[in-house]
Amino acid sequence: MIVQLILGSVLMAISAVAAGLSWWGLEAVLIRANAWVTRPPHGPRLVIVLCIALFWVLLLMTVSVWIWALALWGLGIFPALEPSVYFALVAFTTLGFGDVLLPQDWRLLSGMSAANGLLIFGIMTAMLVETLRETRLRQRRK
């Protein structure tokens, strides 16, 4: 049980660091694009910023799922990579289909993966809202 909790906590921490670095990277990209974003017409540029931010979030979600999938596969919990990725995706998004389960010795990781997914979805939602808010503020200042 302790091994599962430690491993799950480490995977959650890695995922959180990836989220923080991702947000920092997006912010750097948007700061460099500030002159372009603040020129009229604002509407289409805001849509482009939104699309960039959405793809950025999707990339981070994919990375987070792969962190869990590679850990599960590396531990030998699943014999192949595909079921490991599938389980990580289903757990991370809290779908919980139940068609692929962790062995009883590792089942605490499924809840930790789901909790990690909830936290990352929350952080990414905040990132999208803040990106759009900051973009609109910059546009209005010009």
Side-chain angles (χ1 to χ4, degrees):
M1 180 173 102
I2 297 298
V3 172
Q4 292 180 69
L5 293 174
I6 291 170
L7 179 61
S9 297
V10 167
L11 291 172
M12 290 175 84
I14 292 169
S15 186
V17 168
L21 292 174
S22 173
W23 197 336
W24 187 20
L26 178 60
E27 184 178 37
V29 167
L30 293 176
I31 287 171
R32 293 194 86 192
N34 186 52
W36 176 82
V37 169
T38 55
R39 279 194 315 239
H42 292 147
R45 294 175 198 272
L46 185 65
V47 170
I48 291 170
V49 168
L50 173 62
C51 290
I52 290 168
L54 284 171
F55 284 118
W56 206 280
V57 166
L58 286 173
L59 176 65
L60 176 66
M61 291 297 184
T62 302
V63 166
S64 296
V65 167
W66 274 98
I67 288 168
W68 280 87
L70 290 173
L72 295 172
W73 184 55
L75 289 167
I77 295 172
F78 292 106
L81 187 57
E82 192 275 333
S84 182
V85 172
Y86 175 77
F87 176 83
L89 181 62
V90 169
F92 201 81
T93 58
T94 68
L95 286 172
F97 285 144
D99 55 342
V100 175
L101 299 173
L102 291 178
Q104 188 167 353
D105 294 345
W106 293 102
R107 67 182 175 182
L108 289 179
L109 289 179
S110 59
M112 295 187 83
S113 177
N116 190 193
L118 287 171
L119 291 171
I120 295 298
F121 274 105
I123 289 169
M124 293 302 100
T125 301
M127 183 175 122
L128 287 171
V129 169
E130 177 63 15
T131 298
L132 292 178
R133 187 190 69 79
E134 185 62 31
T135 301
R136 285 302 289 151
L137 285 174
R138 287 178 185 169
Q139 288 177 339
R140 288 180 181 158
R141 283 187 210 130
K142 279 262 181 167

